[in-house]
Amino acid sequence: MPDVVMTPDNIRSRTFPLAANLGVAAGALVLAAAVVLGTGIGNWVLVVVLAGVLYLVGLNIFAARVEGKRAARNRMWQAMIYTACVLAVLPLASVVWTLVSKGLERLDGDFFGSSMANIGARDANGGAYHAIIGTLEQVGIATLFAVPLGVLGAIYLVEYGKGRFAGTVRFFVDVMTGIPSIVAGLFILSFWVLIVSPWFNDGNPEYSGFAAALALTVLMLPTIVRSTEEMLRLVPGPLREGAYALGVPQWKTILKVVLPTAAPGIVTGVMLAIARAAGETAPVLLVAGGLARINFDPFAGGQSSLALYVFQQAGDASKYAPARAWTAALTLVALVLIFTIGAKLLARRNKLTR
């Protein structure tokens, strides 16, 4: 009719009710439990998987009779997307719950204020103060090296790099992204510990936290370069062109326009690199030794780290060691989370987003 306006108020269509949707889900769960548990072919995991499949099939059948095949297919795909989201979140939630529930057992002042020096297998005390100090110093030094080098390398590749040399640099960055951490540790062991450190230690090789920081730098560099390069490429070209039209030189355009615009993405890439470095065990074990006592000097003597501390305590025969390992793992995750939140807050304070 010409006088009728098609609006949501006068358009009516049959929809699959929520109660029926829940009924299909409950029926699928009951049927799956009867099949799996009744025949004894699996446990609750198989029950959930089979119930999900039966739910999707039943939803498609019953919704098609009420809404039509097209709307039923849309509802089924929507349910599959929601299911995939839940399945993606479940492992993360399980890890967080396990860390918190098991890590709270030794979350006390003694754990954060003492080391493992003079702690035997029958001693319930002992903490990770030395490992926390080692992690902060090693990751801090590695960040001081890797962030400027990585950001400058990405700026060269995006703003200046042309031709074969830039392609070669990009190729080796991609190759370094996938190298195992133990390879970086072996490289620093053969170069710094066995060749360079004897020059400063009366001819004797020496483990140190600085050597571990160098190994972590090797692991952080490719991640920072690649993430920063992608963020710089996302900066709109008209921003650069507008600055050039006003007579601003290229270096100042990069410093005042390009980098502030890409800062949130760059910070995200840096924090991913820091999180990877903080969780590495093999390089620290190879070049820092995993000292059980407190050592504030990263340039002399071995050091431990939280990741190495977790590895050592998880393999210790003492009945008190697993609790220390879980608390150290919770501490490591909390440190990375705190640094990430702080970096995100600082990244918002740039001139182009105020």
Side-chain angles (χ1 to χ4, degrees):
M1 298 176 62
D3 296 334
V4 177
V5 180
M6 303 301 290
T7 63
D9 294 331
N10 56 33
I11 295 177
R12 296 290 184 267
S13 61
R14 300 180 64 185
T15 58
F16 195 63
L18 178 61
N21 200 335
L22 295 176
V24 173
L29 184 61
V30 171
L31 182 59
V35 172
V36 174
L37 301 181
T39 58
I41 61 175
N43 55 12
W44 64 271
V45 177
L46 185 58
V47 171
V48 173
V49 173
L50 183 58
V53 175
L54 294 176
Y55 167 72
L56 293 176
V57 174
L59 181 65
N60 189 30
I61 295 174
F62 290 105
R65 294 186 176 184
V66 177
E67 299 176 321
K69 293 183 178 180
R70 185 175 181 179
R73 284 195 299 268
N74 177 70
R75 185 177 291 276
M76 185 185 69
W77 283 106
Q78 187 179 24
M80 291 180 65
I81 292 173
Y82 289 154
T83 303
C85 180
V86 172
L87 291 178
V89 172
L90 278 179
L92 177 61
S94 176
V95 169
V96 172
W97 171 255
T98 304
L99 278 176
V100 173
S101 60
K102 295 187 176 183
L104 292 177
E105 182 178 348
R106 280 299 316 275
L107 201 66
D108 51 35
D110 180 70
F111 182 83
F112 294 103
S114 62
S115 67
M116 292 300 295
N118 301 321
I119 299 296
R122 297 183 178 181
D123 295 326
N125 296 326
Y129 181 60
H130 63 299
I132 296 173
I133 295 298
T135 296
L136 294 177
E137 291 184 350
Q138 294 160 22
V139 175
I141 295 173
T143 303
L144 291 177
F145 287 154
V147 172
L149 292 176
V151 173
L152 290 176
I155 291 175
Y156 167 76
L157 292 176
V158 175
E159 305 291 340
Y160 299 98
K162 305 293 181 182
R164 184 177 301 176
F165 180 72
T168 303
V169 172
R170 191 174 290 108
F171 170 76
F172 279 106
V173 168
D174 292 337
V175 171
M176 288 178 60
T177 304
I179 63 171
S181 59
I182 195 170
V183 174
L186 287 172
F187 168 70
I188 298 301
L189 176 67
S190 60
F191 170 69
W192 181 266
V193 176
L194 299 180
I195 297 178
V196 178
S197 67
W199 297 353
F200 307 99
N201 194 38
D202 298 330
N204 298 317
E206 185 179 27
Y207 291 138
S208 65
F210 182 74
L214 293 179
L216 298 181
T217 301
V218 175
L219 296 174
M220 293 174 63
L221 261 178
T223 302
I224 295 176
V225 172
R226 291 300 292 160
S227 61
T228 304
E229 181 184 0
E230 295 301 324
M231 291 302 104
L232 294 179
R233 292 188 186 279
L234 292 177
V235 176
L239 290 178
R240 297 181 177 89
E241 295 168 0
Y244 297 154
L246 295 174
V248 181
Q250 186 176 11
W251 69 269
K252 187 171 290 187
T253 300
I254 296 171
L255 186 62
K256 299 294 185 178
V257 177
V258 177
L259 287 179
T261 305
I266 294 174
V267 169
T268 300
V270 170
M271 294 313 302
L272 288 175
I274 290 177
R276 181 191 178 185
E280 291 295 345
T281 302
V284 182
L285 180 62
L286 282 174
V287 301
L291 198 65
R293 60 178 177 83
I294 301 172
N295 179 18
F296 290 98
D297 188 358
F299 301 98
Q303 271 190 338
S304 185
S305 69
L306 281 171
L308 181 57
Y309 180 86
V310 172
F311 172 76
Q312 292 172 337
Q313 292 300 311
D316 199 305
S318 173
K319 66 178 182 179
Y320 304 106
R324 300 190 195 109
W326 283 111
T327 306
L330 178 61
T331 304
L332 179 58
V333 173
L335 284 177
V336 173
L337 180 62
I338 292 172
F339 291 152
T340 302
I341 294 175
K344 286 290 186 179
L345 293 177
L346 291 176
R348 293 181 181 179
R349 298 173 58 85
N350 65 76
K351 296 180 180 179
L352 295 184
T353 58
R354 287 179 181 175

